[in-house]
Amino acid sequence: MEWIGWASLAILIIALVFLAVSAVKAVKSMKPKIDHLKAAQERIQTETNKIKGETDELKVHQEHIMADVDHAKQAVTLTVNETKQIPQNAKFLAKTALESRKNKKTAKA
């Protein structure tokens, strides 16, 4: 009976050695794959950072364009408003000129 205990112990030791060897092989076989995944992750992170930088540049450019559009819009609005006042200004100028002529004629007479 004693030999069964020793045989069981030997089998347990062999199983543990086999488990350790299998674990080492699995880790070694996974290392290149893990390195490949890390390299891919770094490339993706680099591209993400590049795209984020370009996005920030585009936002700044968009803000400049919007400011230019607002400036042009204000200029056009001012021009249109001034154009709408031309008839009134012309009437006022004509009225003032006529009154000025009448005053000069009355002063001469």
Side-chain angles (χ1 to χ4, degrees):
M1 281 283 184
E2 196 173 303
W3 63 274
I4 293 179
W6 289 108
S8 297
L9 183 62
I11 291 173
L12 180 65
I13 292 172
I14 291 171
L16 290 175
V17 168
F18 182 73
L19 178 65
V21 168
S22 296
V24 169
K25 282 183 181 179
V27 169
K28 283 184 178 180
S29 70
M30 282 192 269
K31 186 164 175 40
K33 294 175 185 175
I34 291 172
D35 292 341
H36 178 72
L37 289 175
K38 284 182 182 178
Q41 179 189 11
E42 290 174 3
R43 285 192 307 270
I44 291 171
Q45 187 63 42
T46 302
E47 289 297 317
T48 302
N49 291 340
K50 181 180 174 184
I51 291 171
K52 185 178 179 188
E54 290 175 359
T55 301
D56 293 341
E57 288 179 22
L58 287 174
K59 284 181 182 177
V60 169
H61 189 65
Q62 179 186 16
E63 289 172 0
H64 287 298
I65 290 173
M66 293 303 293
D68 289 345
V69 167
D70 287 341
H71 179 70
K73 183 179 176 183
Q74 289 174 353
V76 168
T77 302
L78 180 65
T79 304
V80 167
N81 289 337
E82 291 296 323
T83 304
K84 287 179 181 178
Q85 292 179 1
I86 287 176
Q88 295 171 352
N89 291 340
K91 286 178 187 178
F92 177 76
L93 181 62
K95 189 179 191 183
T96 307
L98 286 176
E99 288 177 4
S100 175
R101 283 186 186 172
K102 285 181 185 179
N103 289 340
K104 284 183 183 178
K105 285 183 182 179
T106 1
K108 286 183 181 180

